Amino acid sequence: EPEVTQTPSHQVTQMGQEVILRCVPISNHLYFYWYRQILGQKVEFLVSFYNNEISEKSEIFDDQFSVERPDGSNFTLKIRSTKLEDSAMYFCASSDAGTHNEQFFGPGTRLTVL
Amino acid sequence: AQSVTQLDSHVSVSEGTPVLLRCNYSSSYSPSLFWYVQHPNKGLQLLLKYTSAATLVKGINGFEAEFKKSETSFHLTKPSAHMSDAAEYFCVVSDYSGGYNKLIFGAGTRLAVHP
């Protein structure tokens, strides 16, 4: 069964460093998303991506964040200069339509900023 | 704006007894609603979804949920709990505003199942 994969499973970084979180969505999906879950809090929407551009982003997704689909398979989230409060679980998701269809989630990357 | 409220942060049941996880939603239009489950150190797995078809929705692992518009509820039930059901459950509403889909999560309900 096709699935969304994410690497690494756990990333530890120093404050101020850049990190890139990687995702491989399901191959025939067209819509891609990033969500995050700070420990003990809700899962929050960060950004959606379609047709090689951002379709919507939340208030959390400021200039420190960027997304890219560098090739036909990967979807990345870059945090330019990490802060302590960026420590969270980051989930990638993909779907094959923009409205009702299910979003398939990856296992997440736990980011720890020291 | 769309939102969901999960009425219980923790639910504890005995194995073999019924499970009820409560969720109320707020939506300015006919919503799509989902329940996702997260087992420890695992990703988010879809249990079931409501997208304006039948109001009683059956999902995986014996779970089902009923959409009640008059009560703005979408409670998750299972007749008989199994130890493997212990996990975090999220009620989720889909927000189409802006023309694209994003998911709005509830705070989650942690289900504990005791022998």
Side-chain angles (χ1 to χ4, degrees):
Chain A
E1 184 174 331
E3 59 182 16
V4 177
T5 59
Q6 291 185 243
T7 54
S9 56
H10 192 186
Q11 173 92 46
V12 181
T13 189
Q14 296 291 325
M15 190 170 56
Q17 294 296 304
E18 174 183 286
V19 295
I20 297 176
L21 309 183
R22 290 183 167 79
C23 169
V24 179
I26 293 173
S27 62
N28 63 339
H29 285 184
L30 301 175
Y31 297 81
F32 313 111
Y33 312 85
W34 284 100
Y35 294 81
R36 79 171 185 190
Q37 183 182 30
I38 294 172
L39 189 63
Q41 298 186 23
K42 289 184 183 185
V43 177
E44 304 171 287
F45 168 80
L46 290 178
V47 66
S48 59
F49 190 86
Y50 170 71
N51 199 26
N52 283 321
E53 60 182 25
I54 290 174
S55 48
E56 188 174 358
K57 59 184 181 180
S58 71
E59 293 174 354
I60 304 166
F61 195 89
D62 61 22
D63 292 344
Q64 294 298 315
F65 290 87
S66 63
V67 289
E68 192 178 31
R69 188 155 164 80
D71 52 41
S73 59
N74 289 282
F75 179 51
T76 61
L77 174 69
K78 182 192 291 186
I79 308 175
R80 189 171 303 121
S81 177
T82 50
K83 309 186 193 76
L84 295 176
E85 55 265 36
D86 293 328
S87 295
M89 180 74 89
Y90 288 80
F91 292 105
C92 173
S94 68
S95 69
D96 62 0
T99 54
H100 297 285
N101 286 32
E102 172 188 354
Q103 291 185 20
F104 291 79
F105 283 81
T109 293
R110 180 165 297 286
L111 176 65
T112 303
V113 182
L114 302 176
Chain B
Q2 275 56 249
S3 67
V4 288
T5 302
Q6 293 184 244
L7 300 171
D8 308 290
S9 59
H10 290 83
V11 169
S12 182
V13 300
S14 298
E15 191 175 20
T17 64
V19 175
L20 170 64
L21 305 183
R22 298 181 295 165
C23 172
N24 287 115
Y25 71 90
S26 172
S27 178
S28 52
Y29 44 76
S30 185
S32 288
L33 292 159
F34 308 82
W35 277 97
Y36 279 84
V37 61
Q38 184 180 29
H39 287 94
N41 301 314
K42 300 285 186 184
L44 295 157
Q45 182 186 20
L46 180 71
L47 275 181
L48 50 80
K49 63 181 177 183
Y50 166 78
T51 56
S52 74
T55 56
L56 183 62
V57 182
K58 294 189 185 299
I60 61 171
N61 300 333
F63 284 95
E64 60 182 40
E66 186 171 9
F67 174 75
K68 291 188 177 180
K69 186 175 180 180
S70 60
E71 299 176 10
T72 62
S73 69
F74 190 58
H75 301 333
L76 182 69
T77 60
K78 182 174 181 178
S80 177
H82 192 273
M83 296 294 290
S84 60
D85 295 328
E88 185 99 21
Y89 291 80
F90 294 96
C91 183
V92 180
V93 65
S94 181
D95 183 353
Y96 312 137
S97 62
Y100 292 92
N101 186 27
K102 68 183 181 190
L103 300 182
I104 309 296
F105 283 73
T109 298
R110 184 165 297 279
L111 175 66
V113 182
H114 302 287

